[in-house]
Amino acid sequence: MKANLVFILILVFIFFGYQDADAQRRRGKSKKPKSAKVVQTPPNVSYTVSMSKPWTHLLEVEMVMNWPQMPKKAEVKMPVWTPGSYLIREYARHVQDFVALDANGNALDWRKTSKNTWQIDTNGAKAIRIGYYVYSNDLTVRTNELNYEHAFFTPAALLMYPKGQLKAPSTIRVRPYRNWKVATGLPPVAGQANTFKAENYDVLYDSPFEVSDFKELKFTVRGKPHRYVVTGDGNYDLQQIADDTAKMIEECYKLFGELPYDDYTFILNTRGGGGLEHLNSTALQWNRFGFEPESRYTAFLSLVAHEFFHLWNVKRIRPDALGPFDYENENYTKLLWVAEGTTSYYEGVLMRRAGLVNANYILDAKASIAGRLYRQPGRFQTSLEEASFDAWIKSYRPDENSVNRQISYYSKGELVNFLLDILIRTNSAGAKSLDDVMRLLNDEFYKKGKNFTPADFQDAAEKMAGTSLDGFFKKYVSGKEEIDYNQILNQIGLQFVSLLPESDKGYLGGNLSESNGRLRLTSVPANTPAYENGLNADDEILAIDGFRASRRFLTFYLGSKKSGDKVKLSVFRHDKLMELDVTLGKTPASGYKIVPVENPTEEQKRLYRQYLDEDLG
């Protein structure tokens, strides 16, 4: 005990002796004045986009950068992708005639240091002017096009940014060709014609432009201004489109209780196809004669519903990796099945609630998706989370083997969200739904400045269901199990059936296309007779049992055969004639439908009506 006490006293003596000596050393040193902290200020960036010769397809870009802290070697970068489209697109490949000047017009030396980076020797200049052209002859919602009719451009595919300065504000002035008008979701700069401002690059790159002699129709929903801007002729009724769109916007307002923007612009080009979501606008493309008949018009409204719902789901309710963005690399997430699949599901929900389609439309659409999924062996190879994560290398690059290795996070995601909504409704006795999940994510993540994770989404769904959904998520989201539709559908009085059950009729199993009299295999699903008997994608089928093959004849001829019968196929493979003996298999079930169960209970009827606002039966 005494020894311990002595040891403690020695430690105390050493400690205080050190403190005293240290204090004396500090007193002996002269105080140095603290250096002033340098405040980093962002550059002042302005762009001018011109289009003096539309027939050349060259958009002319001038970028002026004023920066008191201009580095000796300034770097500007071109994004390699644009949010909402998960593929590295290498926009820099379209840049040409790059120049850099100081404020006096003196040329500055520059060099490329990577595929999308230009480095400039600034020579002490605090303001530099950069010029370049971008070849723009590709009309998609994620690229640029300039021609005799219009200019459409996606800023991420056109405008460079200063390295490390994605939070910097900027302005963009458009010099339209002749009498063309300019439309974008960006707010205008007061007193400056065709000039707009962005608070940062995430906003700038999220704001497409349409420049043309477009048609414009304005309308108001809940006091907020909206407009359609349309370039191109077609068999559309713009007033009808606006009226039907307003109904869907109203349903979104009812769901979330607000419209989180000051104004909204729908940019529509009547060529191409597809859409891309943005914070307060969307870019839509549709075939000019694709607004009739009613089925095609309904498909167009479905696209509108999808892109508009994105202004919550993805643009504000953000999955973990989707914002703020890295514009030079892939932004990986396992949640595209929510970003896109949930949004695809709400297309039909919004249209049904707006009275634009009936319940059968919803159920037939889901049955059709399920039928297509059954024809994809890839459903046993890739989960929804894996499909989401691998979108960058697979989704936009399908090949002949995709059917065997992949699924779509859009379509299977839509199915899983459909079933999840029903599961939440039935477990909560109709008190909660997927709507409540989306509202929770909006309130707890978007409004609190957070992104959500896969665990957050599952937690939100379980909170609304009032029970664990771990089995559901493990089977159908992170797992690859066959979906048991009836286990869930039966709870609201529905059943998933095949109108054409499996039969002994002869079956080959390859996917075919016919063009100019040539019958070709486009893909060969695994485990089909075509696959097991050695047929390959791109084989040209010339004859079956010595008879000239056409798609129509092949269907007729196989219809006369039975499972187990053998046929001889004559094919060209790489221009070499081959003959293959094929043993036919059974024709799988098809013609899937979702229909009412027999003798539904009152509870099933109640839940069904609450869900689809129609009586069951």
Side-chain angles (χ1 to χ4, degrees), residues 297-309:
Y297 178 63
T298 300
F300 169 72
L301 290 180
S302 184
L303 173 66
V304 175
H306 184 102
E307 302 307 334
F308 188 77
F309 191 77

Side-chain angles (χ1 to χ4, degrees), residues 254-419:
K254 292 176 183 177
L255 199 164
F256 289 103
E258 62 181 342
L259 298 178
Y261 48 79
D262 294 326
D263 53 69
Y264 195 93
T265 298
F266 296 87
I267 296 173
L268 172 60
N269 276 282
T270 59
R271 286 190 294 120
L276 194 64
E277 68 274 8
H278 300 284
L279 275 168
N280 70 328
S281 65
T282 183
L284 306 169
Q285 293 173 10
W286 201 254
N287 182 280
R288 68 178 76 247
F289 298 117
F291 299 89
E292 295 177 0
E294 183 179 355
S295 61
R296 295 299 300 141
Y297 178 63
T298 300
F300 169 72
L301 290 180
S302 184
L303 173 66
V304 175
H306 184 102
E307 302 307 334
F308 188 77
F309 191 77
H310 264 316
L311 77 87
W312 284 278
N313 193 31
V314 172
K315 301 315 299 182
R316 289 168 175 83
I317 304 170
R318 289 179 164 184
D320 42 21
L322 299 185
F325 297 104
D326 177 351
Y327 292 97
E328 291 193 89
N329 299 286
E330 294 88 344
N331 292 222
Y332 292 104
T333 178
K334 294 180 179 180
L335 284 164
L336 291 185
W337 76 272
V338 176
E340 297 296 349
T342 305
T343 304
S344 293
Y345 170 62
Y346 269 95
E347 295 170 21
V349 170
L350 296 178
M351 293 171 70
R352 174 70 199 108
R353 292 176 183 174
L356 300 173
V357 296
N358 59 25
N360 282 338
Y361 172 89
I362 303 296
L363 299 179
D364 288 348
K366 302 302 179 287
S368 177
I369 295 170
R372 292 197 300 272
L373 186 62
Y374 272 137
R375 296 193 293 273
Q376 292 180 266
R379 70 188 187 278
F380 298 118
Q381 299 291 327
T382 300
S383 71
L384 274 175
E385 288 191 337
E386 290 168 340
S388 299
F389 193 84
D390 283 342
W392 295 92
I393 58 172
K394 292 183 178 180
S395 181
Y396 292 87
R397 293 170 173 161
D399 58 31
E400 70 279 2
N401 195 46
S402 295
V403 68
N404 295 320
R405 293 292 300 169
Q406 294 175 229
I407 56 163
S408 166
Y409 50 79
Y410 280 86
S411 56
K412 186 177 179 182
E414 179 177 345
L415 279 179
V416 168
N417 276 278
F418 166 60
L419 297 173

Side-chain angles (χ1 to χ4, degrees), residues 75-126:
E75 291 186 335
V76 291
K77 293 175 173 285
M78 179 72 88
V80 302
W81 73 290
T82 193
S85 182
Y86 307 102
L87 177 69
I88 299 298
R89 296 191 179 274
E90 310 295 15
Y91 293 128
R93 65 196 171 100
H94 295 302
V95 174
Q96 63 186 66
D97 299 328
F98 183 94
V99 296
L101 308 170
D102 65 17
N104 296 317
N106 299 311
L108 299 173
D109 290 337
W110 61 271
R111 65 207 57 83
K112 285 195 74 172
T113 57
S114 73
K115 64 181 180 180
N116 67 316
T117 305
W118 287 257
Q119 185 186 75
I120 302 160
D121 296 333
T122 58
N123 298 336
K126 302 304 179 186

Side-chain angles (χ1 to χ4, degrees), residues 53 56-62 78 90-100 110 112 115 118 130-137 144 157-158 160:
K53 298 178 180 179
T56 67
H57 311 296
L58 291 173
L59 285 168
E60 307 147 31
V61 179
E62 180 185 76
M78 179 72 88
E90 310 295 15
Y91 293 128
R93 65 196 171 100
H94 295 302
V95 174
Q96 63 186 66
D97 299 328
F98 183 94
V99 296
W110 61 271
K112 285 195 74 172
K115 64 181 180 180
W118 287 257
I130 297 165
Y132 57 92
Y133 295 95
V134 175
Y135 186 73
S136 305
N137 195 28
N144 310 318
L158 184 70
M160 299 180 185

Side-chain angles (χ1 to χ4, degrees), residues 504-507 561-567 582-586:
D504 282 329
K505 188 178 292 186
Y507 177 69
K561 299 293 182 179
K562 301 292 184 184
S563 171
D565 287 351
K566 295 183 182 297
V567 296
V582 176
T583 301
L584 300 176
K586 291 185 177 182

Side-chain angles (χ1 to χ4, degrees), residues 122 182 241 244 282 302 312 320 389 474 481 486 499 503 582 585:
T122 58
V182 181
I241 290 174
D244 290 339
T282 183
S302 184
W312 284 278
D320 42 21
F389 193 84
K474 283 183 176 177
E481 292 192 24
N486 285 331
L499 301 182
S503 73
V582 176

